[in-house]
Every structure is written in structure tokens, then in C-alpha cells.
Amino acid sequence: LAAGRYFKWASHDDALQPGYLQACVDAMEQNTDAVLCQSDIDYIDEGGNSIGVRISQLPGADSPSPSRRFSALVLLPHDCQAMMGLFRRELLGRSRLLPSFHGADRVMLAEVALFGRFIRVPGALIRIRDHGQRYSQSRKRPKDRAAWHDTRKSGQARLPVWTMYRAYWKAVANAPLPGPEKARARLALFEWWFRNYNAARMGVDLIGSVFPGFVGTAERFKQSLLSPAPGPGQARGTKRR
């Protein structure tokens, strides 16, 4: 229903600093090829205390090449907080918007990256809250995640990582890209299997459809022994250093 030039989602548990919207609007007005603008992020805890600040920009997401931007969004680890940025509504409207499955925000960001650059304004002007009741922490079972996205799917077994991967391919197929750009974007999806333990995540998805508790166990193992959760986990590590 939005009709303005720009659009922004706002989570109930996050906060914007004064000047956030003005800074992002000014940047978007100066960069007419941008689809999204975000500031750096100050991650905070339940009480509003800072956990640490992270630069929001993914390397390559501001590239003039659509395939380079798409590759950054699908191949590099990130916490999808660009979703809380300021979108150019007309370009956002070219996407299939936000589908209803775990990882849908990742797909939408990758798709809109095919339409324009992601830009950044300096300074931590958005405060994103990390707490035990947020979706990523409180819902680990596949069926619980499916029901959170769409109550009609309550109790249904899902394969969200496989669904996400198929959606990436559809996004590239539907994008109005020159042949070479589309080919490079598809090559990134073949590379996807060898990045960020994605092949293992596909296996976890299959096992989780039979043993739902396995998904949460696998995610905790990865975050504690292999790599921290993008966003709050990385912010805590940066602050400790």
C-alpha cells in the first residue's frame, strides 16, 4: 500500500537515532542507482546497553555490477539487517517481496541487489536489539519457524534452506539482466555450495525434517566452534578485542 518514494520496515524492539532517516534520504537522493541505504549498527542488549558496533556494508554490495552485488548477498555471511534499511520503493516493488519461510529475508535482499546498489551512511544511527525472545534465538525447530512465518503452516515439516536456494535461482531467472551478468549470477549459485558450510546446511535441513531438534544443535555447534553468528556474535567479539 506504500505510495511514497521510500519505504522502511521498523522492528518493535529496535530504535533509530535522531537523524537516521534524513541521512539515509540524503544519501539516496545523491545516489539514484541505489536500492537501499543503511547506517552502521549499534547492537544492544535487553536493557539498551551496547554490545558492539558493526559496519553494515557487505563488500561488493555497492558494486555497479548486479551479479557482483548478488554474489555478495548470497556468498558472504551477514545477518540480514539491511532489511531494516531505507528502500527505494519502486525498486523494492520489482521484487517478489518477502515470502514466508525461514531465510526469506536473505532471498529478498539478494533479489533487490539485482536492481540497485546497497549504500551506507557512516555512524551507528540504528540500534538493533539482541535478546532471548527475538526470532533467531527463540525458534530453532523447523516447524516453529514455519509457523512463525505463516500460521497456516503450523505443524508442517519444511526444508527452508532448499526453499531458499530454489528462490535464489528464480530471482536470477526473473531479473532483467544482460546475458553475461545473468551467467555470473548463476555461477555464484554453484559456488554457494562451497561457502559458509552451505552443503552441510542442506544436510542439516534434511535431517531436521525427521529430527527437529537437530537443527538447533547444529547451529549452536557452528556458532560456538566454527564461526560466530553474524551480527551480534561478531559485535561481541569485536568489542572484546
Side-chain angles (χ1 to χ4, degrees):
L1 298 177
R5 183 176 299 177
Y6 300 110
F7 176 85
K8 187 188 182 312
W9 274 288
S11 294
H12 71 95
D13 44 4
D14 299 337
L16 300 181
Q17 299 284 30
Y20 173 93
L21 288 174
Q22 186 67 64
C24 289
V25 167
D26 288 348
M28 293 286 272
E29 292 289 302
Q30 295 166 17
N31 297 271
T32 56
D33 61 339
V35 67
L36 181 152
C37 182
Q38 174 70 298
S39 80
D40 295 336
I41 298 170
D42 182 13
Y43 287 97
I44 57 177
D45 64 15
E46 294 91 335
N49 304 300
S50 180
I51 295 170
V53 173
R54 294 286 295 173
I55 294 175
S56 63
Q57 186 77 325
L58 276 176
D62 61 346
S63 170
S65 164
S67 62
R68 177 71 182 89
R69 298 191 301 265
F70 180 80
S71 297
L73 270 295
V74 302
L75 297 180
L76 299 179
H78 63 94
D79 61 357
C80 295
Q81 294 300 349
M83 285 286 294
M84 297 298 108
L86 185 74
F87 287 86
R88 197 176 303 278
R89 185 189 60 81
E90 189 271 330
L91 294 179
L92 176 62
R94 294 183 189 176
S95 75
R96 291 167 297 161
L97 300 180
L98 193 63
S100 297
F101 61 86
H102 180 69
D105 48 357
R106 196 167 296 273
V107 170
M108 200 204 78
L109 287 172
E111 185 173 17
V112 297
L114 293 169
F115 305 136
R117 297 190 302 122
F118 286 22
I119 61 174
R120 162 185 168 260
V121 293
L125 301 179
I126 185 169
R127 310 187 80 204
I128 291 180
R129 196 179 307 271
D130 187 46
H131 56 90
Q133 294 305 308
R134 66 184 297 193
Y135 166 81
S136 58
Q137 292 194 32
S138 63
R139 289 166 177 82
K140 297 294 186 181
R141 292 162 54 92
K143 292 181 180 180
D144 295 337
R145 289 174 171 176
W148 187 91
H149 284 278
D150 187 342
T151 55
R152 293 171 298 179
K153 299 175 182 178
S154 180
Q156 298 181 26
R158 295 287 166 179
L159 297 174
V161 182
W162 290 83
T163 301
M164 179 181 69
Y165 188 62
R166 287 195 301 270
Y168 283 150
W169 280 98
K170 289 180 181 178
V172 174
N174 294 335
L177 298 178
E181 282 291 304
K182 188 163 288 197
R184 284 190 286 269
R186 286 171 172 156
L187 282 174
L189 291 177
F190 286 110
E191 185 180 349
W192 179 91
W193 285 88
F194 307 99
R195 293 287 200 99
N196 304 320
Y197 312 98
N198 285 327
R201 291 173 62 217
M202 289 293 222
V204 169
D205 223 23
L206 292 172
I207 296 172
S209 66
V210 181
F211 304 102
F214 184 74
V215 173
T217 300
E219 289 179 354
R220 287 191 294 271
F221 174 83
K222 175 183 176 294
Q223 293 171 10
S224 61
L225 298 180
L226 301 177
S227 62
Q234 293 171 329
R236 286 187 176 92
T238 301
K239 193 170 186 179
R240 283 196 293 270
R241 291 196 296 270

